[in-house]
């Protein structure tokens, strides 16, 4: 049963990409240059053309469409690391038996945090544990913007509030406001705790 389910999912994945299950002999190479480590791994995982290549996509019009979409994929992959203005140079060479897609990426300058505004409202407004957390925020002005740091800061406040007995807790506002042209971001977190 599990084998059949896996096969069904694989075939569904091929159909979702518009790939005929028999069209798996085409050779496509996708190259990513200019980024390493986590940046490269994230770019490669989000490049739709790379995913299609692994599934054996061979139709030229589909590959060209995915190649055009690659810049958007790359921008999306770099944003969690604070890179909002990459320069991407790309080429796609296609013939009847093979294709090579190449992406040279210059991430550009990293977006930095300009301002952090974190507030606690409701019953936890005067709670010493929550106030202590606000005095040592994990997000600070002038540090590089990392979405993982932002998520951790949000989760940490929720965990502290919950541990202190504020079970009706949530964010009224949770935003990263990115100013792309100026390469800075403002972070606003407003936590509402409700009664303890």
């Amino acid at each position: 049963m599990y084998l059949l389910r896996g096969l069904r999912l694989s075939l569904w994945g091929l159909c979702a990409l518009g790939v005929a299950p028999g069209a798996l002999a085409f050779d496509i190479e996708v190259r990513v240059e200019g980024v390493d480590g986590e940046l490269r791994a994230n770019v490669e995982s989000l490049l739709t053309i790379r995913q299609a290549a692994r599934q054996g996509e061979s139709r030229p019009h589909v590959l060209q469409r995915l190649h055009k979409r690659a810049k958007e994929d790359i921008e999306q992959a770099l944003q969690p690391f604070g890179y909002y203005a990459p320069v991407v140079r790309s080429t796609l060479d296609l013939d009847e038996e093979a294709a090579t897609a190449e992406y040279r990426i210059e991430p550009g300058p990293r977006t930095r945090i300009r301002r952090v505004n974190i507030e606690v409202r409701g019953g936890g407004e005067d709670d010493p544990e929550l106030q202590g957390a606000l005095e040592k925020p994990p997000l600070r002005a002038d540090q590089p913007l990392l979405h993982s740091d932002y998520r951790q800061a949000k989760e940490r406040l929720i965990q502290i509030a919950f541990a202190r007995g504020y079970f009706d807790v949530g964010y009224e506002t949770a935003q990263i406001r990115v100013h792309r042209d100026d390469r800075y971001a403002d972070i606003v977190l407003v936590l509402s705790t409700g009664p303890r």
Side-chain angles (χ1 to χ4, degrees):
M1 179 178 169
Y2 290 108
L3 179 62
L4 289 174
R5 184 177 174 202
L7 178 62
R8 213 169 32 243
L9 288 173
S10 297
L11 291 174
W12 180 86
L14 290 171
C15 294
L17 289 168
V19 180
L24 298 176
F26 192 77
D27 182 31
I28 178 167
E29 182 181 2
V30 179
R31 298 182 195 148
V32 174
E33 297 180 5
V35 289
D36 293 308
E38 289 182 313
L39 291 178
R40 183 188 181 103
N42 213 40
V43 166
E44 289 179 344
S45 71
L46 291 182
L47 267 175
T48 315
I49 193 170
R50 191 166 190 270
Q51 297 164 13
R54 287 182 168 176
Q55 299 295 333
E57 178 59 75
S58 62
R59 292 169 294 172
H61 71 281
V62 174
L63 294 174
Q64 288 167 349
R65 178 173 51 81
L66 296 177
H67 177 68
K68 286 179 183 175
R69 178 183 163 166
K71 184 174 189 293
E72 182 184 330
D73 292 342
I74 291 167
E75 287 174 350
Q76 182 183 353
L78 296 180
Q79 286 176 7
F81 301 94
Y83 297 101
Y84 281 82
V87 174
V88 180
R89 292 179 180 84
S90 60
T91 57
L92 177 64
D93 295 324
L94 269 170
D95 62 35
E96 292 180 3
E97 296 178 1
T100 303
E102 186 171 278
Y103 304 98
R104 296 177 183 269
I105 304 165
E106 294 173 30
R110 200 173 205 173
T111 299
R112 301 188 79 77
I113 297 172
R114 178 180 68 166
R115 211 172 10 239
V116 178
N117 179 25
I118 304 176
E119 294 178 41
V120 176
R121 296 180 182 166
E125 192 170 350
D126 297 318
D127 189 288
E129 292 286 330
L130 284 167
Q131 289 306 314
L134 296 182
E135 289 168 13
K136 298 176 184 175
L139 300 167
R140 290 181 300 281
D142 205 39
Q143 75 182 43
L145 174 63
L146 284 170
H147 289 214
S148 57
D149 289 348
Y150 169 76
R151 283 192 303 273
Q152 287 171 10
K154 282 176 60 181
E155 289 167 11
R156 181 172 169 241
L157 280 176
I158 290 279
Q159 287 168 355
I160 292 170
F162 205 75
R164 298 287 293 164
Y166 301 99
F167 300 125
D168 187 19
V169 63
Y171 282 98
E172 290 179 20
T173 307
Q175 294 179 339
I176 301 175
R177 298 173 182 163
V178 176
H179 304 267
R180 291 173 184 255
D181 294 340
D182 299 317
R183 297 185 184 94
Y184 67 78
D186 296 328
I187 292 175
V188 180
L189 292 174
V190 179
L191 184 72
S192 176
T193 59
R196 191 173 183 184

